[in-house]
Amino acid sequence: MFKSRSRHQIHTMKTVIIGSQNPVKIDIAKEVFAMCFPKENFTFITHHATSNVGDQPQSSPETKLGAQNRSDDCKRVHATADYFVGLEGGVERDDNQYWAFGWMCIQDQFGNYGYGRTGTFALPTSVSDLIDQGQELSRACDIVFNENNSGYKQGAIGILTNNIVTRKDLYRNALVYALIPFLKPELYKH
């Protein structure tokens, strides 16, 4: 059941817990909350949330679960906050190629969830081969493209598109999608 806040409940400052220490993920979460709730004031706290899935999730369901687990971990540690954000990047094999994407999970203080998924893009064979050997996507990109900490900067999507699409661009819409139940709570009551 989707529970909404009382119309009489007034918060001068809402707290958002972001389940990441990655500056790209932190920045985009701040940007999206400000964009979606322009009349609200937020304070943001980062938390090194655990995903309880593999270091490199290998399917859409595993990646989505990782995002939800990060959101749940944020709520477990910071139970009095208003929103809890989990972001998880994953890959999925289709034939002989990996495809990359991310899942976002946002939970409110009442236990309501919203989810969003990024677009999906093909990874080069050289990156896919390293993932098959046990490397995480960001490390595989660092090796193939001679980068350093690409996962904390432009990510695979930035490298592959010459930064026409940045990692922030990739995550932006998915985070907005995850906020839809909170933007339109009257449509998501059960």
Side-chain angles (χ1 to χ4, degrees), residues 5-149:
R5 289 191 177 95
S6 163
R7 294 181 192 262
H8 305 295
Q9 189 176 12
I10 298 172
H11 285 260
T12 56
M13 181 75 69
K14 293 187 176 156
T15 302
V16 177
I17 310 301
I18 304 168
S20 180
Q21 301 296 314
N22 185 315
V24 174
K25 293 177 179 181
I26 294 165
D27 287 348
I28 196 58
K30 289 178 178 181
E31 182 182 309
V32 166
F33 271 87
M35 187 171 55
C36 289
F37 301 105
K39 295 180 181 178
E40 300 282 351
N41 294 311
F42 294 99
T43 185
F44 297 90
I45 298 170
T46 62
H47 169 63
H48 184 71
T50 57
S51 69
N52 293 318
V53 296
D55 289 340
Q56 180 57 75
Q58 298 279 323
S59 69
S60 184
E62 182 183 12
T63 306
K64 183 180 180 185
L65 178 61
Q68 181 179 321
N69 288 345
R70 289 184 191 278
S71 174
D72 290 343
D73 191 48
C74 288
K75 188 172 184 182
R76 181 184 58 77
V77 175
H78 299 276
T80 61
D82 297 283
Y83 294 99
F84 311 91
V85 180
L87 310 93
E88 187 76 22
V91 297
E92 192 162 55
R93 183 173 275 293
D94 182 11
D95 296 321
N96 291 324
Q97 186 170 36
Y98 277 105
W99 297 79
F101 54 88
W103 270 102
M104 315 294 128
C105 176
I106 299 175
Q107 180 180 179
D108 70 6
Q109 66 190 124
F110 304 107
N112 301 306
Y113 290 92
Y115 297 92
R117 183 178 159 161
T118 69
T120 304
F121 60 97
L123 295 172
T125 303
S126 54
V127 173
S128 294
D129 289 346
L130 289 171
I131 292 170
D132 277 338
Q133 295 170 26
Q135 296 291 337
E136 291 183 47
L137 174 57
S138 60
R139 181 68 185 128
C141 286
D142 286 350
I143 292 167
V144 170
F145 301 109
N146 197 28
E147 291 284 335
N148 187 23
N149 285 328

